[in-house]
Amino acid sequence: LIDRKKYLNTYTPVSIENIPDDEVKTLDKDNDIKLMLSHINRAMSQDEFLYKHMLSTIAHDIQHPERNRIWGVLMCSKQGWGKTWLWRLLTAFNGADNTKWIDQEDVVGVYREWMPNCNVVIIDELRREKEKEFISKAKRLFTEKDHRVELKYKNKISFKGHYNFWVSSNEFIPFGIDQEDRRWHILHINETKA
């Protein structure tokens, strides 16, 4: 009960096991972790600042699901680089119940039934379609906490929520964006294949 209103929390906590201190020291030798970190580093064009920023963003989203990041990550590369692999990893980290894989049309559509049930949004392929409407709706989803959504065959509902967007595209710049826009962190993967 907040301000005399009842709220339903749809977030499903993610259970991450504690690792004993003696095992933490051996993690840097784990081949799966090395592969994951190498993939992320290559996605950041081996730029140390971008690499640390990406790891910090991933950690922030996992550790503070209640906080609104207010900007989305857009990763652009040629096909076959491994962006989807990274999104699957983020889905596991944030919990499948808290993550929705949607198409860009779902952001601008009338019925956005995905909205009340997640805080992580993945769009695996952004294209140059309805770009102005998409940018406008995405900006509101990034910055606002009060939302209203129409569900099919039901009344509109109002709710509080926020969304951390992870978006990828096979186009270099999949939409026209103002250079002053601070709602997107656009990353260009320079390598052609992972």
Side-chain angles (χ1 to χ4, degrees):
L1 193 66
I2 301 171
D3 296 328
R4 296 186 217 182
K5 293 181 183 178
K6 289 183 181 179
Y7 290 92
L8 176 65
N9 185 354
T10 61
Y11 179 78
T12 302
V14 178
S15 177
I16 299 174
E17 294 179 30
N18 286 333
I19 300 173
D21 289 341
D22 57 325
E23 285 185 38
V24 169
K25 295 174 186 171
T26 64
L27 290 178
D28 61 344
K29 295 178 180 96
D30 185 284
N31 287 331
D32 289 335
I33 292 175
K34 283 181 182 180
L35 178 65
M36 175 192 68
L37 293 176
S38 173
H39 189 75
I40 294 170
N41 192 29
R42 288 178 61 214
M44 302 301 107
S45 300
Q46 299 183 350
D47 179 298
E48 186 70 16
F49 176 80
L50 291 177
Y51 173 69
K52 287 182 178 179
H53 185 264
M54 179 60 96
L55 292 180
S56 295
T57 301
I58 292 169
H60 176 271
D61 288 358
I62 296 165
Q63 294 170 1
H64 300 287
E66 76 286 358
R67 293 190 187 158
N68 194 1
R69 185 172 4 111
I70 71 168
W71 50 272
V73 174
L74 171 59
M75 196 173 289
C76 306
S77 77
K78 299 282 186 192
Q79 282 186 337
W81 198 89
K83 300 178 296 287
T84 301
W85 179 86
L86 184 56
W87 300 158
R88 287 184 185 131
L89 183 69
L90 294 179
T91 299
F93 286 166
N94 291 284
D97 291 337
N98 305 315
T99 306
K100 295 295 179 213
W101 287 60
I102 65 171
D103 293 322
Q104 73 186 61
E105 294 82 11
D106 295 324
V107 172
V108 298
V110 174
Y111 304 111
R112 299 185 289 171
E113 297 185 8
W114 57 271
M115 286 179 58
N117 301 311
C118 69
N119 70 317
V120 176
V121 177
I122 295 175
I123 300 175
D124 196 34
E125 182 53 43
L126 189 65
R127 299 167 313 283
R128 287 189 176 268
E129 296 170 10
K130 298 183 179 181
E131 67 180 76
K132 288 184 180 179
E133 189 177 2
F134 173 80
I135 292 168
S136 174
K137 294 264 186 175
K139 182 177 178 181
R140 180 158 174 29
L141 292 172
F142 292 170
T143 59
E144 302 299 324
K145 67 177 181 177
D146 295 310
H147 302 282
R148 191 167 167 81
V149 68
E150 185 174 347
L151 305 175
K152 206 175 246 187
Y153 308 116
K154 296 182 182 176
N155 294 331
K156 288 185 178 182
I157 60 168
S158 298
F159 63 97
K160 294 187 181 298
H162 62 271
Y163 306 96
N164 294 325
F165 272 71
W166 297 91
V167 181
S168 57
S169 180
N170 293 329
E171 297 181 44
F172 184 68
I173 299 179
F175 54 77
I177 189 167
D178 183 346
Q179 285 188 318
E180 299 297 317
D181 193 320
R182 59 187 194 275
R183 300 292 175 226
W184 288 98
H185 183 151
I186 301 175
L187 302 162
H188 295 104
I189 300 173
N190 297 325
E191 294 183 38
T192 54
K193 296 276 183 184

